Amino acid sequence: MIARLIEGVPRRGLAMLGALLLVFLAAPWFANDYVLTILILILYFAYTGQAWNIMMGFAGQLSLGHALYVGLGAYTSAALYVHFGISPWLGLPVAIAIAALAGAIIGFLAFRFGVAGVYFAILTIAFAEFARIGFDHFRWVSGSSGFFLPVANYTSNDLWNLRGSPTMFYYVILAMTVAAFMLCHWLLRSRIGYFWQAIREDEMAAKTLGVDTFRCKMIAVVISAAMTSVAGVFFAFYYNNLFPEQVFHILRSIEIILGPIIGGIGTLFGPIIGAILITGMAEGIFELLSALGFTPPGARQVFYGFALLLVVMLLPDGIWPPLARKLGLDKSHDDPPRDDKAER
């Protein structure tokens, strides 16, 4: 199993991964509360970026409505906890099932009726907006007035109920991000991973070669939605308040996709590199402007747009591919090696 997980990764890459993991493991010992909050944000966007990357980077299906799955996961787990006292870990399968069902519905409507490209992206936005409007009037979760989770001061961390210190949440999201990376690595080198890449490159050619494109795309959408809903559970219990206008807003979806786009769509390291750069630099610039007494509204959004423009113009494949080449880890290490047995 371990050999399968590290298949195709050069020793230098494994050493760098190990060093990066050690840095993240040790970070809470040296970081203050503010830096720890930034690190949690970085890991959150690295995780959600990996989930979105399965759908777009691997299978080539552009989604601009992934906030839908974050919101469904968040509201489902929070409601079960507040109304019935169900632990978020017990509510997690329900949240995953609901988000996966939503993804399956969207995928079925799109792929069965030939909705693709920009029209598929618009469809995902529409469903996220439907959810936002619906939850605005859903009184069981307090509608537009906001749904609040009870907050108490704990002398010790309660991992079962996800109540505790920022350090506990940090290690939870770190574990989630590591698990997502390993899962994506395995998926990319599996049989379905080859099919996804064939669909991404040329769907008609893949269909001609006998690939069941409808089934493969549905699997990508369902896995991506399910993974993203797990981030929603974390979001709910970390922030302790949910507002439909915030959770389902298209800006949340844009934040999710920025990391993979800037880091490198379709790569394993891209979402991580992108999350580190975009979140770290955005927060650094915001703090610098605040120190200068200049805090214009929408400063982060302006930075996101500027960073995206630079990457599209100068590094259309993202930051990771050229960086990998400089480090001796060219893009071929991020893509699965050709395996005749898997292709058959």
Side-chain angles (χ1 to χ4, degrees):
M1 182 64 178
I2 295 177
R4 179 70 174 173
L5 288 174
I6 65 174
E7 179 186 352
V9 182
R11 290 183 179 179
R12 183 181 298 181
L14 289 175
M16 293 175 62
L17 272 175
L20 182 63
L21 181 59
L22 286 176
V23 169
F24 276 109
L25 285 171
W29 302 346
F30 308 100
N32 57 31
D33 289 344
Y34 174 73
V35 173
L36 193 61
T37 300
I38 302 302
L39 290 174
I40 290 173
L41 276 177
I42 288 172
L43 291 171
Y44 172 82
F45 288 123
Y47 175 87
T48 52
Q50 290 284 10
W52 180 82
N53 204 31
I54 290 176
M55 196 163 160
M56 175 59 190
F58 297 175
Q61 308 304 308
L62 175 60
S63 170
L64 297 178
H66 258 52
L68 168 67
Y69 310 125
V70 174
L72 290 176
Y75 270 102
T76 299
S77 59
L80 291 175
Y81 179 75
V82 171
H83 294 299
F84 304 110
I86 297 176
S87 163
W89 301 111
L90 296 179
L92 181 61
V94 182
I96 290 175
I98 291 175
L101 177 61
I105 291 172
I106 295 172
F108 180 84
L109 292 174
F111 306 143
R112 182 59 69 191
F113 297 102
V115 178
V118 67
Y119 299 105
F120 177 74
I122 292 172
L123 181 66
T124 61
I125 295 173
F127 269 86
E129 283 297 295
F130 292 155
R132 180 185 64 80
I133 295 170
F135 276 86
D136 258 338
H137 299 87
F138 194 9
R139 304 313 307 171
W140 193 56
V141 288
S142 303
S144 59
S145 60
F147 193 52
F148 297 89
L149 279 71
V151 179
N153 292 322
Y154 288 87
T155 55
S156 60
N157 294 320
D158 183 3
L159 183 61
W160 179 246
N161 290 308
L162 277 183
R163 306 281 84 189
S165 66
T167 301
M168 184 200 74
F169 281 99
Y170 173 84
Y171 282 116
V172 169
I173 192 64
L174 177 60
M176 288 169 54
T177 305
V178 171
F181 181 89
M182 294 170 65
L183 175 62
C184 289
H185 176 81
W186 177 77
L187 285 171
L188 194 58
R189 284 156 175 79
S190 67
R191 185 181 182 85
I192 190 68
Y194 287 107
F195 291 159
W196 284 340
Q197 291 171 89
I199 293 169
R200 181 189 68 194
E201 298 303 322
D202 192 329
E203 184 171 345
M204 289 304 297
K207 188 178 295 186
T208 303
L209 292 172
V211 176
D212 188 345
T213 57
F214 176 80
R215 174 178 170 272
C216 291
K217 291 191 292 186
M218 286 293 293
I219 291 174
V221 173
V222 169
I223 292 177
S224 182
M227 285 181 63
T228 308
S229 70
V230 179
V233 176
F234 177 87
F235 182 96
F237 284 81
Y238 179 65
Y239 287 104
N240 298 309
N241 60 81
L242 299 171
F243 292 87
E245 285 289 338
Q246 295 178 354
V247 178
F248 294 103
H249 199 280
I250 190 173
L251 285 177
R252 302 288 81 79
S253 296
I254 298 301
E255 288 176 345
I256 289 172
I257 73 176
L258 278 175
I261 290 176
I262 290 175
I265 294 177
T267 66
L268 292 172
F269 293 93
I272 300 173
I273 298 296
I276 291 172
L277 291 176
I278 197 73
T279 306
M281 292 181 66
E283 292 299 326
I285 290 174
F286 184 79
E287 284 301 309
L288 177 61
L289 291 175
S290 299
L292 297 174
F294 183 62
T295 54
R300 284 188 179 88
Q301 286 71 28
V302 171
F303 169 74
Y304 292 155
F306 184 69
L308 189 59
L309 179 64
L310 283 179
V311 169
V312 169
M313 291 177 60
L314 303 177
L315 298 168
D317 293 328
I319 293 172
W320 173 249
L323 179 61
R325 287 191 290 271
K326 289 184 179 296
L327 295 174
L329 305 169
D330 59 30
K331 194 176 184 297
S332 61
H333 291 305
D334 235 356
D335 293 331
R338 295 298 174 190
D339 186 346
D340 293 336
K341 188 161 127 186
E343 289 176 353
R344 288 197 299 268

